[in-house]
Amino acid sequence: MAVKTKTVYFCSECGHESPKWMGKCPGCGAWNTFVEEKVSKVATKGNKKGLVSRSRPVRLSEIESLEEPRVSMPSKELNRVLGGGLVAGSLTLIGGEPGIGKSTLLLQNILSIRNKTILYVSGEESATQLKLRADRLGKVADNTFILCETSIEGIFTQIDNVNPQLLVVDSIQTIASSEIESAAGSVSQVRECAAALLRYAKESGVPVILVGHINKDGAIAGPKVLEHIVDTVLQFEGDRQYLYRILRVIKNRFGSTNEIGIYEMVERGLKEVTNPSEMLLSENRDEEMSGITIGVTTEGVRPFLVEIQALVSSAAYGTPQRSVTGFDQRRLNMLLAVLEKRARFRLSQKDVFLNVAGGLKISDPAMDMAVVTAVMSSNFDISIPRTTAFVGEVGLSGEIRTVTRIDQRVAEAEKLGFTRIFIPKGNLKGVKENFKIEVVEVGKVEECFRKLFE
């Protein structure tokens, strides 16, 4: 069979293929993303059309809806994010910044599984490095095999020898196929190797976990088709200045996409944080300070309390500053405009600094009331009691809009010892649960301030 080699251009964002270089990708609209690669194809005789012979159409009514068998992971946080564990035959992708703890998370989980044969393929670290990490984690398992290989053909050869029940590839950007001339990590290599591992997972029923690098924009490196191929995409996030890590699900065909898992980086690996509210609330202070409020947010079905810190001061250089950490700056500008227009507070000539304690990034609109009360607390230099929490979305007309899961939010604040919580008016309608915490219902921003500072 003759080998045909040709030069093609691939879009590094979406994987669109073109015979010539183009400035703008017609697939995703990105600029200057085409890279040149050489592709070798083996010419085969005949024209084979159709699917594999064993594939046949089946009536939808004849298909049995069975519960997907899952592999339970030792980490409860990872299990909840996955929707109950790894589904047999699934392909899971975990992405994150270098050194954030992706390999540590996987290694300490698979070393705790004793009843399955596991093959850990490393294309970045040597076997000695992995052994040192396992010793640091304090876990060694005889059922875990380590393979240092970057060839996809070599990996499948060892898969036939080991017959694993769980496969981990760290990382997909280091794996290459000899049938493609381009370097490892290129668009075509990542796409073809991921497709080969997908076929293996679906045919054998073995769950496969892939580790992926991310680019400077925070997205998973390689073609966008990689995220379409896999069943689940997890993002491991965190700030190097903090010990906490957040495992967030971006895509999940077998569960919810609104769950997060929280870990703390300790000397012996990653430790699960079972009560994130304690993590996100600062230590107890001897005296109350202005500009600090507590809001109740949710991620998936999990409610937790977050500390909002605000500092308002006179603009020293004429043009007021708006500095935000962990919150959407455009939303803060909108809330400040609402305070200026609807509540008649003059903030246009003042600097406003806002921070979410704990290094968390909040996108929940239910935190609006906590933000505006923190700003006004700092502006008037009046402290708010530490046992008061806030929940509510602020609209452009100054009204406090209702939010979801209000009963769970109120219950979480009550569980942590808070004595009063401000919520939108009518939000508890239909909720039969009786709360011991004092619930204050407000409908406008001005009403909230009157009841808070009276």
Side-chain angles (χ1 to χ4, degrees):
M1 292 183 291
V3 178
K4 296 181 180 179
T5 303
K6 66 175 183 178
T7 299
V8 295
Y9 293 85
F10 289 100
C11 173
S12 58
E13 293 291 330
C14 67
H16 183 84
E17 181 179 341
S18 173
K20 62 180 182 179
W21 186 87
M22 303 176 71
K24 182 179 180 181
C25 174
C28 62
W31 288 88
N32 298 323
T33 55
F34 275 92
V35 291
E36 180 182 3
E37 295 182 11
K38 291 183 178 180
V39 179
S40 300
K41 292 186 177 181
V42 179
T44 58
K45 296 182 179 180
N47 186 18
K48 297 182 180 180
K49 295 182 180 181
L51 301 173
V52 184
S53 57
R54 62 175 177 270
S55 298
R56 63 180 183 84
V58 182
R59 295 180 188 274
L60 184 61
S61 58
E62 298 176 357
I63 301 176
E64 296 183 14
S65 55
L66 302 175
E67 187 70 23
E68 293 284 352
R70 293 180 181 264
V71 177
S72 179
M73 303 299 287
S75 171
K76 295 181 180 178
E77 295 288 301
L78 181 57
N79 260 342
R80 190 183 63 257
V81 170
L82 290 171
L86 282 174
V87 175
S90 65
L91 192 62
T92 303
L93 175 65
I94 300 181
E97 295 181 357
I100 204 68
K102 304 183 296 296
S103 302
T104 301
L105 174 67
L106 290 176
L107 199 59
Q108 75 178 35
N109 269 275
I110 65 175
L111 290 178
S112 300
I113 301 175
R114 303 293 184 178
N115 58 349
K116 293 186 180 296
T117 304
I118 302 170
L119 178 60
Y120 188 98
V121 180
S122 176
E124 299 177 346
E125 296 179 288
S126 65
T128 304
Q129 289 175 309
L130 292 172
K131 180 63 167 61
L132 291 174
R133 178 176 293 177
D135 292 340
R136 190 179 75 247
L137 296 174
K139 297 179 180 179
V140 178
D142 293 334
N143 61 319
T144 301
F145 294 86
I146 303 297
L147 173 64
C148 298
E149 180 64 76
T150 58
S151 169
I152 191 69
E153 290 83 9
I155 292 173
F156 280 118
T157 299
Q158 297 304 323
I159 286 175
D160 294 336
N161 297 332
V162 176
N163 290 323
Q165 296 169 287
L166 174 61
L167 175 65
V168 179
V169 178
D170 184 7
S171 65
I172 187 60
Q173 279 83 8
T174 61
I175 308 302
S177 173
S178 59
E179 297 180 359
I180 303 175
E181 289 190 359
S182 56
S186 62
V187 174
S188 56
Q189 288 282 14
V190 171
R191 183 181 60 226
E192 294 302 322
C193 293
L197 291 169
L198 175 67
R199 289 192 295 270
Y200 163 73
K202 300 305 178 185
E203 292 175 1
S204 64
V206 174
V208 179
I209 302 177
L210 306 179
V211 176
H213 298 164
I214 65 171
N215 54 29
K216 60 182 180 181
D217 297 326
I220 295 176
K224 199 69 177 177
V225 70
L226 176 62
E227 298 182 37
H228 294 291
I229 288 176
V230 301
D231 298 307
T232 306
V233 180
L234 305 179
Q235 190 86 5
F236 207 36
E237 304 172 352
D239 193 332
R240 293 181 181 274
Q241 306 303 321
Y242 295 93
L243 297 177
Y244 300 107
R245 304 287 186 266
I246 297 176
L247 185 64
R248 194 182 304 274
V249 57
I250 307 299
K251 169 189 175 182
N252 193 356
R253 289 176 178 159
F254 311 109
S256 172
T257 58
N258 295 320
E259 294 291 346
I260 65 168
I262 302 179
Y263 295 86
E264 181 183 2
M265 181 65 76
V266 295
E267 184 178 356
R268 297 177 68 88
L270 290 164
K271 176 185 175 183
E272 296 181 23
V273 177
T274 56
N275 191 350
S277 297
E278 295 179 355
M279 175 198 80
L280 298 169
L281 297 180
S282 297
E283 64 280 356
N284 295 326
R285 301 183 180 89
D286 295 334
E287 58 180 353
E288 295 179 347
M289 301 177 65
S290 63
I292 297 178
T293 58
I294 307 298
V296 188
T297 184
T298 59
E299 287 284 351
V301 297
R302 166 187 281 189
F304 51 85
L305 279 70
V306 180
E307 180 178 300
I308 302 294
Q309 302 173 347
L311 176 64
V312 180
S313 61
S314 299
Y317 302 103
T319 303
Q321 300 182 58
R322 302 287 187 262
S323 180
V324 182
T325 303
F327 194 75
D328 187 3
Q329 184 162 359
R330 291 174 297 181
R331 191 161 190 87
L332 174 64
N333 292 335
M334 184 203 76
L335 295 176
L336 295 178
V338 171
L339 292 176
E340 184 92 17
K341 178 73 174 179
R342 305 298 179 185
R344 307 297 181 184
F345 293 119
R346 303 303 176 190
L347 300 171
S348 58
Q349 296 302 318
K350 294 188 177 181
D351 295 335
V352 179
F353 303 91
L354 189 73
N355 175 51
V356 178
L360 195 68
K361 294 180 180 178
I362 298 296
S363 59
D364 187 3
M367 297 296 293
D368 288 353
M369 187 152 49
V371 170
V372 296
T373 51
V375 170
M376 297 317 301
S377 170
S378 178
N379 184 51
F380 296 132
D381 198 18
I382 300 176
S383 63
I384 296 175
R386 297 281 296 172
T387 56
T388 301
F390 300 88
V391 179
E393 178 184 356
V394 177
L396 288 178
S397 62
E399 82 277 12
I400 307 297
R401 301 174 59 86
T402 58
V403 298
T404 59
R405 302 186 184 277
I406 187 64
D407 52 338
Q408 297 179 14
R409 298 175 194 259
V410 176
E412 180 70 11
E414 181 182 340
K415 184 179 70 174
L416 291 175
F418 283 75
T419 58
R420 186 168 61 158
I421 183 171
F422 284 75
I423 69 169
K425 184 173 292 185
N427 209 164
L428 277 178
K429 187 180 297 183
V431 178
K432 298 180 180 180
E433 187 173 354
N434 294 322
F435 299 103
K436 297 180 181 179
I437 186 174
E438 179 188 354
V439 178
V440 181
E441 295 186 322
V442 292
K444 289 278 189 178
V445 172
E446 308 95 292
E447 183 183 356
C448 174
F449 294 149
R450 281 198 307 269
K451 292 185 177 181
L452 182 62
F453 297 118
E454 64 182 3

